[in-house]
Amino acid sequence: MAETEELKVSLPLLNEPAPDFEAVSTQGPIKLSDFRGKYVVLFSHPSDFTPVCTTEFGSFATATEEFEKRDVQLIGLSVDSVPSHLAWIRDIEKIFDTKVKFPVIADLDTKVSRAYGMLHPGYSATATVRSVFIIDDKGILRAMIYYPASAGRSIPEILRVIDSLKTTDESGYTTPADWKPGEPVIVPPSLNAETVEGEEESTAKGLDYKAWYLRYKK
Ligand code: BEZ
């Protein structure tokens, strides 16, 4: 996109279908819909050969097994070219003694970046911000997180959000602040205090009662 062209910013919305795309990547052409049936983490970085991004790719690559265990497909993205991505990946693999097994999109025409609100004019009209989109197995956008260019992402936090979403999908329970798998979950409250079970009934059911709207289950 020309620097002078007006940047139209649109944001995808939570709990709506994630915008489908067809893109060129380090592993050939890819479509988001190719990955239906598994969770996808689509993440953008500002630029190849920059220090914070390099550490993030090292951490994503090192955590490959954790994503595989959860049947999650990683997809990286920036507006750099495939040859640039490949040369940078060679460096990353050397520096961190790892393998970058996931595709990285070369979004030179910014089609995907614009569909996902990855270009923020206050940052740059041509380089993507750091963003993470968690898309579920049905292609629904479930979480999105934006970061400043100066702060590298926490991969354990991204895995934690995936674990939380999958726990809620499977059980209906929600998860408290700083929750990790294996820790107590929350029984979502009924719509009003009159119909919800009180402390005695909740305790008899093995729930840890704090208030009518906050009950933990081990
Ligand atoms: C970095 O990865 O270090 C970086 C990239 C873009 C802007 C600032 C920092």
Side-chain angles (χ1 to χ4, degrees):
M1 192 180 62
E3 195 79 54
T4 50
E5 219 177 287
E6 197 194 336
L7 179 63
K8 289 207 177 63
V9 182
S10 67
L11 281 184
L13 297 176
L14 294 185
N15 291 343
E16 291 193 1
D20 198 11
F21 58 75
E22 239 180 297
V24 177
S25 85
T26 49
Q27 296 179 6
I30 56 170
K31 276 200 281 193
L32 177 64
S33 45
D34 289 342
F35 303 105
R36 200 56 46 83
K38 62 196 304 191
Y39 267 62
V40 171
V41 173
L42 171 67
F43 66 100
S44 62
H45 65 279
S47 185
D48 295 352
F49 299 103
T50 51
V52 175
C53 304
T54 301
T55 62
E56 291 183 316
F57 265 64
S59 293
F60 272 117
T62 303
T64 294
E65 234 176 72
E66 291 301 317
F67 288 100
E68 282 175 356
K69 259 200 311 215
R70 293 162 174 82
D71 198 24
V72 174
Q73 176 66 49
L74 289 171
I75 305 176
L77 178 151
S78 78
V79 296
D80 299 289
S81 65
V82 166
S84 167
H85 285 336
L86 291 174
W88 183 44
I89 285 170
R90 261 203 310 276
D91 272 3
I92 292 163
E93 292 182 338
K94 211 158 44 165
I95 295 168
F96 296 100
D97 189 22
T98 188
K99 283 270 165 231
V100 176
K101 292 186 182 163
F102 53 85
V104 184
I105 292 173
D107 194 33
L108 292 172
D109 61 8
T110 69
K111 245 194 197 151
V112 183
S113 310
R114 278 181 283 130
Y116 278 83
M118 294 168 171
L119 291 169
H120 295 202
Y123 171 65
S124 164
T126 52
T128 43
V129 294
R130 272 181 226 296
S131 65
V132 176
F133 298 86
I134 301 177
I135 299 159
D136 73 14
D137 48 348
K138 296 177 186 68
I140 303 298
L141 179 60
R142 301 290 295 278
M144 53 182 178
I145 321 173
Y146 293 92
Y147 297 77
S150 54
R153 282 162 276 204
S154 163
I155 278 63
E157 171 61 6
I158 295 166
L159 289 164
R160 195 188 76 86
V161 175
I162 293 166
D163 288 335
S164 167
L165 286 167
K166 290 192 166 198
T167 295
T168 301
D169 287 351
E170 283 159 20
S171 67
Y173 300 124
T174 53
T175 64
D178 303 323
W179 174 85
K180 287 197 249 8
E183 292 179 356
V185 292
I186 290 172
V187 182
S190 302
L191 290 182
N192 59 59
E194 284 75 46
T195 55
V196 84
E197 288 159 346
E199 180 163 10
E200 215 172 290
E201 269 175 290
S202 299
T203 308
K205 285 187 164 178
L207 303 179
D208 179 11
Y209 181 99
K210 302 290 185 200
W212 67 265
Y213 52 83
L214 177 58
R215 297 181 302 160
Y216 292 94
K217 180 181 165 56
K218 288 215 179 76

